[in-house]
């Protein structure tokens, strides 16, 4: 049967060279910070371990439901946020774009993450079992050379967010956000 990802799936393909989206997804991985520069045969071998799915705009799901999988955006934008159920306040931690992977923290520690993901556009995703990606991290130095700087970039984003929340007014943070995303 078809594996469930927690989204309202619209399209599903296994990633083999005969798939109608194979070449499109291969190009997306080649331009991703996580996979750029990898040897072509290695990249093709990795792509075969993914499955492809599309997700309608505005779909929402908690990442804790899919912590045993690693996702890479092929197209669209995805917001990752955390909310306080008592106050209703929420903070956006990441705005992901094509080539970005998620949820890196659950990938590393194997634990569910209390984040919510919301598709801001229709998404195309590549999905691989977390164990598969953990194996790449452990046994594929070429992938690890991309993964560690990517992880560092995400940690820096979180550190910058913490500093902004602690040190700047809402107006200043909003102005910086508008400038950054203009």
């Amino acid at each position: 049967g078809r594996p469930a990802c927690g989204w309202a799936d619209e399209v599903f393909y296994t990633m083999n060279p005969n798939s109608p989206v194979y070449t499109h997804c291969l190009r997306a991985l080649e331009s991703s910070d996580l996979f750029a520069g990898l040897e072509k045969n290695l990249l093709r071998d990795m792509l075969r371990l993914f499955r492809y799915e599309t997700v309608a705009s505005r779909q929402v799901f908690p990442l804790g439901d899919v912590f045993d999988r690693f996702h890479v955006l092929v197209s669209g934008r995805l917001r990752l946020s955390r909310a306080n159920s008592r106050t209703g306040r929420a903070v956006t931690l990441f705005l992901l774009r094509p080539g970005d992977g998620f949820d890196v923290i659950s990938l590393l520690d194997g634990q569910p993450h209390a984040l919510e993901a919301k598709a801001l556009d229709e998404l195309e995703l590549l999905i691989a079992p977390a164990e598969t990606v953990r194996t790449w991290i452990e046994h594929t130095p070429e992938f690890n050379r991309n993964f560690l700087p990517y992880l560092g970039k995400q940690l820096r984003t979180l550190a910058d967010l913490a500093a902004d929340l602690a040190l700047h007014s809402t107006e200043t943070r909003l102005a910086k956000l508008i400038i950054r995303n203009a």
Side-chain angles (χ1 to χ4, degrees):
R2 181 172 152 193
C5 78
W7 298 84
D9 306 334
E10 294 177 1
V11 175
F12 168 80
Y13 292 108
T14 56
M15 292 310 306
N16 64 59
N18 298 323
S19 169
V21 295
Y22 181 85
T23 302
H24 170 63
C25 290
L26 183 62
R27 284 191 201 120
L29 287 184
E30 288 171 337
S31 64
S32 164
D33 287 346
L34 283 166
F35 297 90
L38 295 183
E39 196 270 326
K40 196 79 147 179
N41 287 332
L42 174 61
L43 192 58
R44 287 181 179 134
D45 288 345
M46 291 173 139
L47 182 56
R48 286 186 191 107
L49 299 174
F50 281 98
R51 72 177 191 267
Y52 169 92
E53 293 191 14
T54 62
V55 176
S57 180
R58 304 202 188 281
Q59 288 281 348
V60 177
F61 76 100
L63 285 185
D65 291 349
V66 294
F67 74 96
D68 59 342
R69 294 175 213 110
F70 184 68
H71 301 75
V72 177
L73 264 72
V74 173
S75 70
R77 295 172 303 146
L78 181 75
R79 182 178 65 213
L80 298 181
S81 58
R82 180 128 185 209
N84 182 317
S85 60
R86 281 186 250 130
T87 66
R89 291 186 64 191
V91 62
T92 296
L93 299 175
F94 297 102
L95 180 61
L96 302 180
R97 292 182 165 78
D100 283 328
F102 67 97
D103 174 18
V104 174
I105 293 172
S106 291
L107 176 66
L108 294 176
D109 69 9
Q111 301 299 310
H113 201 181
L115 292 181
E116 180 179 272
K118 180 177 183 180
L120 301 178
D121 308 305
E122 182 174 315
L123 302 179
E124 293 178 284
L125 296 171
L126 289 172
I127 302 168
E131 278 305 313
T132 298
V133 182
R134 286 185 193 109
T135 300
W136 297 342
I137 292 167
E138 287 182 36
H139 300 290
T140 310
E142 301 89 346
F143 178 72
N144 210 13
R145 278 192 290 273
N146 288 351
F147 181 77
L148 289 177
Y150 184 81
L151 177 61
K153 183 174 129 184
Q154 287 199 324
L155 291 173
R156 182 172 305 280
T157 297
L158 290 175
D160 290 347
L161 175 63
D164 279 351
L165 290 171
L167 303 173
H168 299 290
S169 69
T170 302
E171 293 82 12
T172 301
R173 291 193 319 266
L174 179 59
K176 288 172 70 174
L177 179 67
I178 290 169
I179 290 168
R180 189 171 45 242
N181 290 296

